[in-house]
Amino acid sequence: MSATHHNLVVFYRVIGSILMMQIMGLTLSVQAADLNTTAPLLTVYKDANCGCCEKWLTHISDRGFSVNAHNIDNLYEFKQSKGIPTSMQSCHTAMSSQGYVFEGHIPAKFISRFLATPPKDAIGLTVPAMPVGSPGMEYQDKFMPYQVLLMKIDGSSQVYAQVNTLEESVK
């Protein structure tokens, strides 16, 4: 084998190795990207005896959220510590991994929308009280229109979404 031929063989092997490493690097990048598309995690704080909370957890889980639920005794104090005014409280509180608060029977689609583009100066969303027909509060075909409110750092709120039908609420 001539020196030129040997050098070409070495050159092609080096190029082949570099290309293989790049391809493998690309594969690793794609796999890493897949790992970053995991379901958003909500940590939920609730009363152990609340059945509607369990139904809401099912609603959220069925729509792509990962849920870590905790039964706690001092729910009111917990809500106060997170800046949720008494008038905006409901039966359970969910916290996102980013620190946002989701209070009550909020449809999953609004939590997803909020997390995709969090509004400036927001602490989270709430559906105060427990409106009939909201996720977890379904009863026959009964429905009471309700609002999803945006809670702000300064304690104020504004309407984030208006829910007018059962279909809008649970889809």
Side-chain angles (χ1 to χ4, degrees), residues 11-72:
F11 173 77
Y12 287 121
R13 284 185 181 161
V14 169
I15 294 297
S17 295
I18 290 170
L19 287 172
M20 186 58 80
M21 287 189 298
Q22 287 178 337
I23 290 168
M24 290 183 71
L26 179 62
T27 301
L28 292 175
S29 297
V30 170
Q31 288 173 347
D34 287 345
L35 293 176
N36 291 330
T37 60
T38 57
L41 173 65
L42 292 179
T43 303
V44 181
Y45 300 90
K46 63 182 197 63
D47 182 282
N49 301 311
C50 188
C52 65
C53 292
E54 293 299 326
K55 290 179 182 177
W56 183 79
L57 290 173
T58 300
H59 167 82
I60 291 296
S61 296
D62 288 351
R63 284 154 183 84
F65 285 87
S66 232
V67 177
N68 186 2
H70 301 278
N71 296 323
I72 61 174

Side-chain angles (χ1 to χ4, degrees), residues 33-129:
D34 287 345
L35 293 176
N36 291 330
T37 60
T38 57
L41 173 65
L42 292 179
T43 303
V44 181
Y45 300 90
K46 63 182 197 63
D47 182 282
N49 301 311
C50 188
C52 65
C53 292
E54 293 299 326
K55 290 179 182 177
W56 183 79
L57 290 173
T58 300
H59 167 82
I60 291 296
S61 296
D62 288 351
R63 284 154 183 84
F65 285 87
S66 232
V67 177
N68 186 2
H70 301 278
N71 296 323
I72 61 174
D73 294 327
N74 56 348
L75 216 43
Y76 177 76
E77 291 83 8
F78 176 79
K79 293 169 187 291
Q80 293 289 10
S81 75
K82 299 302 177 191
I84 305 167
T86 304
S87 64
M88 295 192 190
Q89 292 181 9
S90 185
C91 59
H92 58 264
T93 304
M95 300 286 302
S96 72
S97 55
Q98 301 89 349
Y100 292 110
V101 176
F102 300 100
E103 178 70 8
H105 295 269
I106 304 166
K109 66 182 176 183
F110 297 119
I111 296 173
S112 294
R113 182 187 310 160
F114 179 97
L115 290 173
T117 55
K120 186 179 180 201
D121 299 327
I123 65 167
L125 299 175
T126 183
V127 170

